[in-house]
Amino acid sequence: DADVTQTPRNRITKTGKRIMLECSQTKGHDRMYWYRQDPGLGLRLIYYSFDVKDINKGEISDGYSVSRQAQAKFSLSLESAIPNQTALYFCATSDSGVAFFGQGTRLTVV
Amino acid sequence: GESVGLHLPTLSVQEGDNSIINCAYSNSASDYFIWYKQESGKGPQFIIDIRSNMDKRQGQRVTVLLNKTVKHLSLQIAATQPGDSAVYFCAERFNRDDKIIFGKGTRLHILP
């Protein structure tokens, strides 16, 4: 089993719909991150969390929200999806600065 | 500012030669730097790291060099193999809040 699991792996949704991407980890790490990957733009940080009571905005948090339901779970929501949120989304965990990534969720907003 | 970037988007190297991938960063407060490898269809995976109090670190076939004077980081891969074909990212950690910021990535293409 993967240490960092993302669901779903692929999703197509319509403009204006609410969508949630989920992430769970078995590494026991306190720090969790959500990144977005676009071609030519690398990985950009959306939100990060150091524990269930700590949520921080990253570089591109507008249009996104997160919830840290437990140490092991960190979900990303798009309240009203728009086409330019079409991207590959990665969840990651860390305890010492090295990030461990999930397999990614490919989201398409049509 | 908070910016980590790479000089070249694509690097083509002959199999067996050494590869050098470069990265420039802008935040002097970063205390820790990491190189990741991302293969097609997968998430990035850790290769090697270096702390800001070091200027060189070696792993198996890989070496990371850090030049804090010019805010430059490089990854050297010895005897490049077909399995090294991937996108390579540098990342920096901001010590004050453990935020991890990535550069745009360099695609390494291996020529037969």
Side-chain angles (χ1 to χ4, degrees):
Chain A
D1 286 340
D3 293 322
V4 184
T5 303
Q6 291 182 232
T7 56
R9 292 293 311 278
N10 290 281
R11 180 73 181 267
I12 300 173
T13 192
K14 293 183 178 180
T15 298
K17 292 291 187 182
R18 183 179 188 275
I19 184 168
M20 179 182 289
L21 309 184
E22 299 190 7
C23 177
S24 63
Q25 53 122 341
T26 58
K27 297 189 77 67
H29 292 165
D30 287 326
R31 291 158 175 75
M32 296 189 74
Y33 305 79
W34 274 104
Y35 290 90
R36 167 179 172 161
Q37 186 172 29
D38 297 275
L41 290 178
L43 290 131
R44 292 183 290 169
L45 182 62
I46 307 173
Y47 271 96
Y48 59 110
S49 167
F50 294 157
D51 64 42
V52 294
K53 298 178 182 177
D54 181 85
I55 302 290
N56 304 280
K57 291 184 177 180
E59 303 166 278
I60 53 163
S61 58
D62 288 348
Y64 302 95
S65 62
V66 291
S67 174
R68 186 79 184 267
Q69 302 95 321
Q71 187 206 36
K73 296 184 183 296
F74 191 37
S75 60
L76 175 72
S77 294
L78 287 67
E79 297 300 326
S80 179
I82 56 177
N84 78 0
Q85 291 178 312
T86 293
L88 186 56
Y89 290 85
F90 285 102
C91 173
T93 73
S94 169
D95 68 346
S96 60
V98 176
F100 295 87
F101 286 82
Q103 290 288 76
T105 295
R106 186 167 295 281
L107 177 67
T108 303
V109 183
V110 297
Chain B
E2 299 176 351
S3 163
V4 178
L6 290 163
H7 295 302
L8 293 173
T10 303
L11 176 67
S12 295
V13 175
Q14 205 77 37
E15 183 179 347
D17 287 353
N18 296 336
S19 302
I20 300 176
I21 301 172
N22 295 304
C23 179
Y25 67 95
S26 61
N27 195 311
S28 300
S30 295
D31 70 330
Y32 182 57
F33 303 87
I34 313 106
W35 280 99
Y36 290 88
K37 174 184 181 182
Q38 185 179 26
E39 296 174 293
S40 182
K42 297 182 179 179
Q45 290 187 299
F46 169 85
I47 302 174
I48 191 168
D49 57 355
I50 188 167
R51 297 198 178 278
S52 59
N53 61 354
M54 303 170 66
D55 54 18
K56 180 180 181 178
R57 190 160 190 229
Q58 288 185 292
Q60 187 177 12
R61 277 202 312 119
V62 293
T63 300
V64 54
L65 299 177
L66 175 63
N67 185 330
K68 293 181 288 294
T69 302
V70 295
K71 297 189 180 70
H72 185 267
L73 192 67
S74 69
L75 176 70
Q76 300 179 1
I77 304 174
T80 309
Q81 302 169 358
D84 295 327
S85 180
V87 176
Y88 291 82
F89 293 96
C90 64
E92 61 179 314
R93 183 186 72 177
F94 294 4
N95 187 39
R96 69 178 188 276
D97 62 5
D98 250 6
K99 186 163 56 176
I100 303 173
I101 300 295
F102 283 75
K104 291 181 173 55
T106 293
R107 180 173 299 280
L108 180 62
H109 178 60
I110 312 304
L111 302 170

PDB file of all heavy atoms in Angstrom, chain B residues 33-67:
ATOM      1  N   PHE B  33      17.758  22.349   1.136  1.00  0.00           N
ATOM      2  CA  PHE B  33      17.460  22.230  -0.288  1.00  0.00           C
ATOM      3  C   PHE B  33      17.391  20.757  -0.666  1.00  0.00           C
ATOM      4  O   PHE B  33      18.168  19.939  -0.178  1.00  0.00           O
ATOM      5  CB  PHE B  33      18.533  22.928  -1.116  1.00  0.00           C
ATOM      6  CG  PHE B  33      18.690  24.380  -0.760  1.00  0.00           C
ATOM      7  CD1 PHE B  33      19.538  24.773   0.268  1.00  0.00           C
ATOM      8  CD2 PHE B  33      17.975  25.349  -1.440  1.00  0.00           C
ATOM      9  CE1 PHE B  33      19.666  26.104   0.604  1.00  0.00           C
ATOM     10  CE2 PHE B  33      18.095  26.696  -1.105  1.00  0.00           C
ATOM     11  CZ  PHE B  33      18.944  27.056  -0.072  1.00  0.00           C
ATOM     12  N   ILE B  34      16.447  20.452  -1.546  1.00  0.00           N
ATOM     13  CA  ILE B  34      16.211  19.060  -1.914  1.00  0.00           C
ATOM     14  C   ILE B  34      16.058  18.939  -3.426  1.00  0.00           C
ATOM     15  O   ILE B  34      15.494  19.818  -4.072  1.00  0.00           O
ATOM     16  CB  ILE B  34      14.906  18.523  -1.262  1.00  0.00           C
ATOM     17  CG1 ILE B  34      14.835  18.897   0.224  1.00  0.00           C
ATOM     18  CG2 ILE B  34      14.800  17.008  -1.448  1.00  0.00           C
ATOM     19  CD1 ILE B  34      13.849  19.996   0.529  1.00  0.00           C
ATOM     20  N   TRP B  35      16.569  17.866  -3.969  1.00  0.00           N
ATOM     21  CA  TRP B  35      16.339  17.536  -5.373  1.00  0.00           C
ATOM     22  C   TRP B  35      15.372  16.355  -5.450  1.00  0.00           C
ATOM     23  O   TRP B  35      15.504  15.375  -4.709  1.00  0.00           O
ATOM     24  CB  TRP B  35      17.635  17.162  -6.084  1.00  0.00           C
ATOM     25  CG  TRP B  35      18.449  18.340  -6.497  1.00  0.00           C
ATOM     26  CD1 TRP B  35      19.527  18.874  -5.852  1.00  0.00           C
ATOM     27  CD2 TRP B  35      18.261  19.141  -7.667  1.00  0.00           C
ATOM     28  NE1 TRP B  35      20.019  19.958  -6.548  1.00  0.00           N
ATOM     29  CE2 TRP B  35      19.247  20.140  -7.664  1.00  0.00           C
ATOM     30  CE3 TRP B  35      17.337  19.118  -8.726  1.00  0.00           C
ATOM     31  CZ2 TRP B  35      19.366  21.100  -8.672  1.00  0.00           C
ATOM     32  CZ3 TRP B  35      17.444  20.069  -9.730  1.00  0.00           C
ATOM     33  CH2 TRP B  35      18.447  21.054  -9.695  1.00  0.00           C
ATOM     34  N   TYR B  36      14.407  16.488  -6.386  1.00  0.00           N
ATOM     35  CA  TYR B  36      13.428  15.440  -6.613  1.00  0.00           C
ATOM     36  C   TYR B  36      13.471  15.003  -8.073  1.00  0.00           C
ATOM     37  O   TYR B  36      13.787  15.788  -8.966  1.00  0.00           O
ATOM     38  CB  TYR B  36      12.008  15.945  -6.313  1.00  0.00           C
ATOM     39  CG  TYR B  36      11.730  16.195  -4.868  1.00  0.00           C
ATOM     40  CD1 TYR B  36      12.012  17.427  -4.289  1.00  0.00           C
ATOM     41  CD2 TYR B  36      11.180  15.200  -4.065  1.00  0.00           C
ATOM     42  CE1 TYR B  36      11.765  17.657  -2.958  1.00  0.00           C
ATOM     43  CE2 TYR B  36      10.921  15.434  -2.728  1.00  0.00           C
ATOM     44  CZ  TYR B  36      11.213  16.659  -2.186  1.00  0.00           C
ATOM     45  OH  TYR B  36      10.956  16.892  -0.855  1.00  0.00           O
ATOM     46  N   LYS B  37      13.092  13.752  -8.283  1.00  0.00           N
ATOM     47  CA  LYS B  37      12.971  13.187  -9.621  1.00  0.00           C
ATOM     48  C   LYS B  37      11.527  12.783  -9.832  1.00  0.00           C
ATOM     49  O   LYS B  37      10.932  12.126  -8.979  1.00  0.00           O
ATOM     50  CB  LYS B  37      13.877  11.952  -9.732  1.00  0.00           C
ATOM     51  CG  LYS B  37      13.745  11.165 -11.027  1.00  0.00           C
ATOM     52  CD  LYS B  37      14.623   9.912 -10.977  1.00  0.00           C
ATOM     53  CE  LYS B  37      14.527   9.105 -12.263  1.00  0.00           C
ATOM     54  NZ  LYS B  37      15.339   7.856 -12.188  1.00  0.00           N
ATOM     55  N   GLN B  38      10.960  13.210 -10.961  1.00  0.00           N
ATOM     56  CA  GLN B  38       9.593  12.834 -11.262  1.00  0.00           C
ATOM     57  C   GLN B  38       9.537  12.087 -12.583  1.00  0.00           C
ATOM     58  O   GLN B  38       9.812  12.649 -13.645  1.00  0.00           O
ATOM     59  CB  GLN B  38       8.672  14.054 -11.327  1.00  0.00           C
ATOM     60  CG  GLN B  38       7.206  13.685 -11.519  1.00  0.00           C
ATOM     61  CD  GLN B  38       6.291  14.890 -11.559  1.00  0.00           C
ATOM     62  OE1 GLN B  38       6.700  15.996 -11.905  1.00  0.00           O
ATOM     63  NE2 GLN B  38       5.032  14.687 -11.187  1.00  0.00           N
ATOM     64  N   GLU B  39       9.169  10.819 -12.501  1.00  0.00           N
ATOM     65  CA  GLU B  39       8.984  10.011 -13.700  1.00  0.00           C
ATOM     66  C   GLU B  39       7.543  10.150 -14.174  1.00  0.00           C
ATOM     67  O   GLU B  39       6.656  10.505 -13.393  1.00  0.00           O
ATOM     68  CB  GLU B  39       9.339   8.560 -13.402  1.00  0.00           C
ATOM     69  CG  GLU B  39      10.810   8.393 -13.049  1.00  0.00           C
ATOM     70  CD  GLU B  39      11.161   6.988 -12.618  1.00  0.00           C
ATOM     71  OE1 GLU B  39      10.686   6.562 -11.557  1.00  0.00           O
ATOM     72  OE2 GLU B  39      11.916   6.320 -13.354  1.00  0.00           O
ATOM     73  N   SER B  40       7.345   9.840 -15.423  1.00  0.00           N
ATOM     74  CA  SER B  40       6.037  10.021 -16.039  1.00  0.00           C
ATOM     75  C   SER B  40       4.950   9.282 -15.273  1.00  0.00           C
ATOM     76  O   SER B  40       5.091   8.086 -14.980  1.00  0.00           O
ATOM     77  CB  SER B  40       6.095   9.527 -17.488  1.00  0.00           C
ATOM     78  OG  SER B  40       4.854   9.734 -18.130  1.00  0.00           O
ATOM     79  N   GLY B  41       3.894   9.994 -14.931  1.00  0.00           N
ATOM     80  CA  GLY B  41       2.756   9.377 -14.264  1.00  0.00           C
ATOM     81  C   GLY B  41       2.920   9.158 -12.774  1.00  0.00           C
ATOM     82  O   GLY B  41       2.071   8.530 -12.141  1.00  0.00           O
ATOM     83  N   LYS B  42       4.016   9.684 -12.213  1.00  0.00           N
ATOM     84  CA  LYS B  42       4.274   9.473 -10.785  1.00  0.00           C
ATOM     85  C   LYS B  42       4.475  10.802 -10.067  1.00  0.00           C
ATOM     86  O   LYS B  42       4.719  11.831 -10.689  1.00  0.00           O
ATOM     87  CB  LYS B  42       5.516   8.610 -10.598  1.00  0.00           C
ATOM     88  CG  LYS B  42       5.391   7.215 -11.164  1.00  0.00           C
ATOM     89  CD  LYS B  42       6.660   6.419 -10.882  1.00  0.00           C
ATOM     90  CE  LYS B  42       6.549   5.009 -11.423  1.00  0.00           C
ATOM     91  NZ  LYS B  42       7.793   4.228 -11.169  1.00  0.00           N
ATOM     92  N   GLY B  43       4.389  10.755  -8.752  1.00  0.00           N
ATOM     93  CA  GLY B  43       4.724  11.924  -7.959  1.00  0.00           C
ATOM     94  C   GLY B  43       6.234  12.072  -7.833  1.00  0.00           C
ATOM     95  O   GLY B  43       6.983  11.116  -8.043  1.00  0.00           O
ATOM     96  N   PRO B  44       6.707  13.256  -7.496  1.00  0.00           N
ATOM     97  CA  PRO B  44       8.148  13.464  -7.309  1.00  0.00           C
ATOM     98  C   PRO B  44       8.699  12.577  -6.191  1.00  0.00           C
ATOM     99  O   PRO B  44       8.023  12.317  -5.204  1.00  0.00           O
ATOM    100  CB  PRO B  44       8.235  14.939  -6.918  1.00  0.00           C
ATOM    101  CG  PRO B  44       6.997  15.562  -7.451  1.00  0.00           C
ATOM    102  CD  PRO B  44       5.942  14.503  -7.327  1.00  0.00           C
ATOM    103  N   GLN B  45       9.945  12.135  -6.397  1.00  0.00           N
ATOM    104  CA  GLN B  45      10.595  11.301  -5.396  1.00  0.00           C
ATOM    105  C   GLN B  45      11.920  11.921  -4.996  1.00  0.00           C
ATOM    106  O   GLN B  45      12.666  12.433  -5.836  1.00  0.00           O
ATOM    107  CB  GLN B  45      10.832   9.896  -5.949  1.00  0.00           C
ATOM    108  CG  GLN B  45       9.547   9.100  -6.129  1.00  0.00           C
ATOM    109  CD  GLN B  45       9.842   7.668  -6.523  1.00  0.00           C
ATOM    110  OE1 GLN B  45      10.449   7.429  -7.559  1.00  0.00           O
ATOM    111  NE2 GLN B  45       9.429   6.724  -5.708  1.00  0.00           N
ATOM    112  N   PHE B  46      12.226  11.841  -3.725  1.00  0.00           N
ATOM    113  CA  PHE B  46      13.453  12.401  -3.160  1.00  0.00           C
ATOM    114  C   PHE B  46      14.690  11.750  -3.777  1.00  0.00           C
ATOM    115  O   PHE B  46      14.761  10.536  -3.947  1.00  0.00           O
ATOM    116  CB  PHE B  46      13.441  12.166  -1.650  1.00  0.00           C
ATOM    117  CG  PHE B  46      14.739  12.455  -0.959  1.00  0.00           C
ATOM    118  CD1 PHE B  46      15.047  13.737  -0.559  1.00  0.00           C
ATOM    119  CD2 PHE B  46      15.649  11.440  -0.710  1.00  0.00           C
ATOM    120  CE1 PHE B  46      16.241  14.009   0.086  1.00  0.00           C
ATOM    121  CE2 PHE B  46      16.847  11.694  -0.070  1.00  0.00           C
ATOM    122  CZ  PHE B  46      17.138  12.985   0.333  1.00  0.00           C
ATOM    123  N   ILE B  47      15.676  12.599  -4.128  1.00  0.00           N
ATOM    124  CA  ILE B  47      16.965  12.083  -4.612  1.00  0.00           C
ATOM    125  C   ILE B  47      18.045  12.350  -3.584  1.00  0.00           C
ATOM    126  O   ILE B  47      18.716  11.442  -3.126  1.00  0.00           O
ATOM    127  CB  ILE B  47      17.375  12.764  -5.935  1.00  0.00           C
ATOM    128  CG1 ILE B  47      16.322  12.579  -7.016  1.00  0.00           C
ATOM    129  CG2 ILE B  47      18.719  12.209  -6.413  1.00  0.00           C
ATOM    130  CD1 ILE B  47      16.656  13.377  -8.274  1.00  0.00           C
ATOM    131  N   ILE B  48      18.249  13.617  -3.264  1.00  0.00           N
ATOM    132  CA  ILE B  48      19.326  14.001  -2.376  1.00  0.00           C
ATOM    133  C   ILE B  48      19.006  15.373  -1.797  1.00  0.00           C
ATOM    134  O   ILE B  48      18.271  16.149  -2.398  1.00  0.00           O
ATOM    135  CB  ILE B  48      20.679  14.005  -3.125  1.00  0.00           C
ATOM    136  CG1 ILE B  48      21.852  14.152  -2.160  1.00  0.00           C
ATOM    137  CG2 ILE B  48      20.710  15.106  -4.198  1.00  0.00           C
ATOM    138  CD1 ILE B  48      23.215  13.873  -2.798  1.00  0.00           C
ATOM    139  N   ASP B  49      19.575  15.661  -0.642  1.00  0.00           N
ATOM    140  CA  ASP B  49      19.324  16.939   0.007  1.00  0.00           C
ATOM    141  C   ASP B  49      20.636  17.550   0.491  1.00  0.00           C
ATOM    142  O   ASP B  49      21.679  16.886   0.531  1.00  0.00           O
ATOM    143  CB  ASP B  49      18.356  16.784   1.180  1.00  0.00           C
ATOM    144  CG  ASP B  49      18.852  15.788   2.227  1.00  0.00           C
ATOM    145  OD1 ASP B  49      19.895  15.140   2.018  1.00  0.00           O
ATOM    146  OD2 ASP B  49      18.170  15.642   3.263  1.00  0.00           O
ATOM    147  N   ILE B  50      20.569  18.812   0.862  1.00  0.00           N
ATOM    148  CA  ILE B  50      21.742  19.487   1.402  1.00  0.00           C
ATOM    149  C   ILE B  50      21.279  20.627   2.303  1.00  0.00           C
ATOM    150  O   ILE B  50      20.308  21.329   1.989  1.00  0.00           O
ATOM    151  CB  ILE B  50      22.667  20.000   0.271  1.00  0.00           C
ATOM    152  CG1 ILE B  50      23.972  20.534   0.832  1.00  0.00           C
ATOM    153  CG2 ILE B  50      21.959  21.078  -0.576  1.00  0.00           C
ATOM    154  CD1 ILE B  50      25.053  20.766  -0.226  1.00  0.00           C
ATOM    155  N   ARG B  51      21.963  20.788   3.410  1.00  0.00           N
ATOM    156  CA  ARG B  51      21.630  21.879   4.319  1.00  0.00           C
ATOM    157  C   ARG B  51      22.456  23.108   3.965  1.00  0.00           C
ATOM    158  O   ARG B  51      23.517  23.009   3.345  1.00  0.00           O
ATOM    159  CB  ARG B  51      21.868  21.449   5.765  1.00  0.00           C
ATOM    160  CG  ARG B  51      20.977  20.306   6.165  1.00  0.00           C
ATOM    161  CD  ARG B  51      20.842  20.110   7.654  1.00  0.00           C
ATOM    162  NE  ARG B  51      19.929  19.017   7.940  1.00  0.00           N
ATOM    163  CZ  ARG B  51      18.605  19.147   7.958  1.00  0.00           C
ATOM    164  NH1 ARG B  51      18.047  20.318   7.731  1.00  0.00           N
ATOM    165  NH2 ARG B  51      17.835  18.118   8.225  1.00  0.00           N
ATOM    166  N   SER B  52      21.976  24.233   4.421  1.00  0.00           N
ATOM    167  CA  SER B  52      22.611  25.492   4.013  1.00  0.00           C
ATOM    168  C   SER B  52      24.001  25.676   4.605  1.00  0.00           C
ATOM    169  O   SER B  52      24.754  26.535   4.153  1.00  0.00           O
ATOM    170  CB  SER B  52      21.726  26.679   4.401  1.00  0.00           C
ATOM    171  OG  SER B  52      21.499  26.699   5.790  1.00  0.00           O
ATOM    172  N   ASN B  53      24.369  24.857   5.595  1.00  0.00           N
ATOM    173  CA  ASN B  53      25.718  24.984   6.175  1.00  0.00           C
ATOM    174  C   ASN B  53      26.734  24.081   5.463  1.00  0.00           C
ATOM    175  O   ASN B  53      27.859  23.925   5.920  1.00  0.00           O
ATOM    176  CB  ASN B  53      25.697  24.678   7.666  1.00  0.00           C
ATOM    177  CG  ASN B  53      25.234  23.260   7.963  1.00  0.00           C
ATOM    178  OD1 ASN B  53      24.816  22.540   7.062  1.00  0.00           O
ATOM    179  ND2 ASN B  53      25.309  22.876   9.219  1.00  0.00           N
ATOM    180  N   MET B  54      26.305  23.494   4.346  1.00  0.00           N
ATOM    181  CA  MET B  54      27.182  22.638   3.552  1.00  0.00           C
ATOM    182  C   MET B  54      27.296  23.210   2.144  1.00  0.00           C
ATOM    183  O   MET B  54      26.442  23.985   1.712  1.00  0.00           O
ATOM    184  CB  MET B  54      26.625  21.215   3.474  1.00  0.00           C
ATOM    185  CG  MET B  54      26.402  20.572   4.828  1.00  0.00           C
ATOM    186  SD  MET B  54      25.473  19.036   4.689  1.00  0.00           S
ATOM    187  CE  MET B  54      26.632  18.019   3.799  1.00  0.00           C
ATOM    188  N   ASP B  55      28.347  22.812   1.406  1.00  0.00           N
ATOM    189  CA  ASP B  55      28.426  23.235   0.015  1.00  0.00           C
ATOM    190  C   ASP B  55      28.458  22.055  -0.964  1.00  0.00           C
ATOM    191  O   ASP B  55      28.344  22.243  -2.176  1.00  0.00           O
ATOM    192  CB  ASP B  55      29.639  24.151  -0.223  1.00  0.00           C
ATOM    193  CG  ASP B  55      30.931  23.518   0.242  1.00  0.00           C
ATOM    194  OD1 ASP B  55      30.973  22.283   0.419  1.00  0.00           O
ATOM    195  OD2 ASP B  55      31.906  24.259   0.439  1.00  0.00           O
ATOM    196  N   LYS B  56      28.562  20.859  -0.425  1.00  0.00           N
ATOM    197  CA  LYS B  56      28.579  19.689  -1.299  1.00  0.00           C
ATOM    198  C   LYS B  56      28.098  18.477  -0.531  1.00  0.00           C
ATOM    199  O   LYS B  56      28.404  18.317   0.650  1.00  0.00           O
ATOM    200  CB  LYS B  56      29.998  19.451  -1.818  1.00  0.00           C
ATOM    201  CG  LYS B  56      30.150  18.264  -2.747  1.00  0.00           C
ATOM    202  CD  LYS B  56      31.599  18.129  -3.212  1.00  0.00           C
ATOM    203  CE  LYS B  56      31.782  16.962  -4.149  1.00  0.00           C
ATOM    204  NZ  LYS B  56      33.190  16.864  -4.627  1.00  0.00           N
ATOM    205  N   ARG B  57      27.355  17.639  -1.234  1.00  0.00           N
ATOM    206  CA  ARG B  57      26.943  16.373  -0.639  1.00  0.00           C
ATOM    207  C   ARG B  57      26.856  15.336  -1.744  1.00  0.00           C
ATOM    208  O   ARG B  57      26.345  15.611  -2.831  1.00  0.00           O
ATOM    209  CB  ARG B  57      25.596  16.523   0.054  1.00  0.00           C
ATOM    210  CG  ARG B  57      25.237  15.318   0.901  1.00  0.00           C
ATOM    211  CD  ARG B  57      24.193  15.633   1.935  1.00  0.00           C
ATOM    212  NE  ARG B  57      24.069  14.501   2.850  1.00  0.00           N
ATOM    213  CZ  ARG B  57      22.924  13.952   3.191  1.00  0.00           C
ATOM    214  NH1 ARG B  57      21.801  14.427   2.698  1.00  0.00           N
ATOM    215  NH2 ARG B  57      22.892  12.926   4.017  1.00  0.00           N
ATOM    216  N   GLN B  58      27.349  14.143  -1.443  1.00  0.00           N
ATOM    217  CA  GLN B  58      27.364  13.087  -2.464  1.00  0.00           C
ATOM    218  C   GLN B  58      26.487  11.927  -2.071  1.00  0.00           C
ATOM    219  O   GLN B  58      26.414  11.547  -0.904  1.00  0.00           O
ATOM    220  CB  GLN B  58      28.800  12.600  -2.680  1.00  0.00           C
ATOM    221  CG  GLN B  58      29.670  13.608  -3.413  1.00  0.00           C
ATOM    222  CD  GLN B  58      31.049  13.061  -3.726  1.00  0.00           C
ATOM    223  OE1 GLN B  58      31.826  12.834  -2.829  1.00  0.00           O
ATOM    224  NE2 GLN B  58      31.323  12.856  -5.005  1.00  0.00           N
ATOM    225  N   GLY B  59      25.821  11.374  -3.089  1.00  0.00           N
ATOM    226  CA  GLY B  59      25.059  10.160  -2.901  1.00  0.00           C
ATOM    227  C   GLY B  59      25.554   9.129  -3.892  1.00  0.00           C
ATOM    228  O   GLY B  59      26.653   9.253  -4.432  1.00  0.00           O
ATOM    229  N   GLN B  60      24.730   8.166  -4.163  1.00  0.00           N
ATOM    230  CA  GLN B  60      25.114   7.150  -5.143  1.00  0.00           C
ATOM    231  C   GLN B  60      24.899   7.722  -6.538  1.00  0.00           C
ATOM    232  O   GLN B  60      23.779   7.957  -6.964  1.00  0.00           O
ATOM    233  CB  GLN B  60      24.263   5.899  -4.958  1.00  0.00           C
ATOM    234  CG  GLN B  60      24.696   4.741  -5.822  1.00  0.00           C
ATOM    235  CD  GLN B  60      23.882   3.489  -5.554  1.00  0.00           C
ATOM    236  OE1 GLN B  60      22.851   3.555  -4.889  1.00  0.00           O
ATOM    237  NE2 GLN B  60      24.328   2.369  -6.069  1.00  0.00           N
ATOM    238  N   ARG B  61      25.951   7.993  -7.241  1.00  0.00           N
ATOM    239  CA  ARG B  61      25.945   8.560  -8.597  1.00  0.00           C
ATOM    240  C   ARG B  61      25.432   9.993  -8.667  1.00  0.00           C
ATOM    241  O   ARG B  61      25.394  10.588  -9.746  1.00  0.00           O
ATOM    242  CB  ARG B  61      25.106   7.729  -9.605  1.00  0.00           C
ATOM    243  CG  ARG B  61      25.810   6.563 -10.204  1.00  0.00           C
ATOM    244  CD  ARG B  61      25.206   6.082 -11.531  1.00  0.00           C
ATOM    245  NE  ARG B  61      23.771   5.925 -11.495  1.00  0.00           N
ATOM    246  CZ  ARG B  61      22.938   6.609 -12.277  1.00  0.00           C
ATOM    247  NH1 ARG B  61      23.388   7.509 -13.139  1.00  0.00           N
ATOM    248  NH2 ARG B  61      21.641   6.388 -12.206  1.00  0.00           N
ATOM    249  N   VAL B  62      25.018  10.567  -7.584  1.00  0.00           N
ATOM    250  CA  VAL B  62      24.546  11.946  -7.599  1.00  0.00           C
ATOM    251  C   VAL B  62      25.325  12.797  -6.604  1.00  0.00           C
ATOM    252  O   VAL B  62      25.740  12.312  -5.547  1.00  0.00           O
ATOM    253  CB  VAL B  62      23.037  12.050  -7.292  1.00  0.00           C
ATOM    254  CG1 VAL B  62      22.221  11.424  -8.405  1.00  0.00           C
ATOM    255  CG2 VAL B  62      22.693  11.429  -5.957  1.00  0.00           C
ATOM    256  N   THR B  63      25.512  14.050  -6.993  1.00  0.00           N
ATOM    257  CA  THR B  63      26.178  15.021  -6.127  1.00  0.00           C
ATOM    258  C   THR B  63      25.387  16.320  -6.194  1.00  0.00           C
ATOM    259  O   THR B  63      24.980  16.744  -7.285  1.00  0.00           O
ATOM    260  CB  THR B  63      27.619  15.289  -6.610  1.00  0.00           C
ATOM    261  OG1 THR B  63      28.351  14.064  -6.596  1.00  0.00           O
ATOM    262  CG2 THR B  63      28.308  16.301  -5.709  1.00  0.00           C
ATOM    263  N   VAL B  64      25.173  16.943  -5.058  1.00  0.00           N
ATOM    264  CA  VAL B  64      24.529  18.249  -5.037  1.00  0.00           C
ATOM    265  C   VAL B  64      25.555  19.272  -4.561  1.00  0.00           C
ATOM    266  O   VAL B  64      26.298  19.034  -3.609  1.00  0.00           O
ATOM    267  CB  VAL B  64      23.263  18.264  -4.145  1.00  0.00           C
ATOM    268  CG1 VAL B  64      23.550  17.785  -2.747  1.00  0.00           C
ATOM    269  CG2 VAL B  64      22.631  19.641  -4.131  1.00  0.00           C
ATOM    270  N   LEU B  65      25.611  20.389  -5.275  1.00  0.00           N
ATOM    271  CA  LEU B  65      26.496  21.489  -4.926  1.00  0.00           C
ATOM    272  C   LEU B  65      25.656  22.716  -4.595  1.00  0.00           C
ATOM    273  O   LEU B  65      24.687  23.017  -5.294  1.00  0.00           O
ATOM    274  CB  LEU B  65      27.433  21.810  -6.097  1.00  0.00           C
ATOM    275  CG  LEU B  65      28.370  20.699  -6.537  1.00  0.00           C
ATOM    276  CD1 LEU B  65      29.182  21.154  -7.746  1.00  0.00           C
ATOM    277  CD2 LEU B  65      29.298  20.280  -5.416  1.00  0.00           C
ATOM    278  N   LEU B  66      26.034  23.404  -3.540  1.00  0.00           N
ATOM    279  CA  LEU B  66      25.309  24.608  -3.121  1.00  0.00           C
ATOM    280  C   LEU B  66      26.276  25.775  -3.052  1.00  0.00           C
ATOM    281  O   LEU B  66      27.288  25.703  -2.362  1.00  0.00           O
ATOM    282  CB  LEU B  66      24.661  24.379  -1.753  1.00  0.00           C
ATOM    283  CG  LEU B  66      23.957  25.566  -1.109  1.00  0.00           C
ATOM    284  CD1 LEU B  66      22.768  26.029  -1.958  1.00  0.00           C
ATOM    285  CD2 LEU B  66      23.497  25.224   0.307  1.00  0.00           C
ATOM    286  N   ASN B  67      25.952  26.830  -3.766  1.00  0.00           N
ATOM    287  CA  ASN B  67      26.749  28.058  -3.725  1.00  0.00           C
ATOM    288  C   ASN B  67      25.844  29.164  -3.188  1.00  0.00           C
ATOM    289  O   ASN B  67      25.040  29.734  -3.923  1.00  0.00           O
ATOM    290  CB  ASN B  67      27.265  28.402  -5.119  1.00  0.00           C
ATOM    291  CG  ASN B  67      28.195  29.604  -5.109  1.00  0.00           C
ATOM    292  OD1 ASN B  67      28.057  30.503  -4.264  1.00  0.00           O
ATOM    293  ND2 ASN B  67      29.138  29.633  -6.020  1.00  0.00           N
TER     294      ASN B  67
END
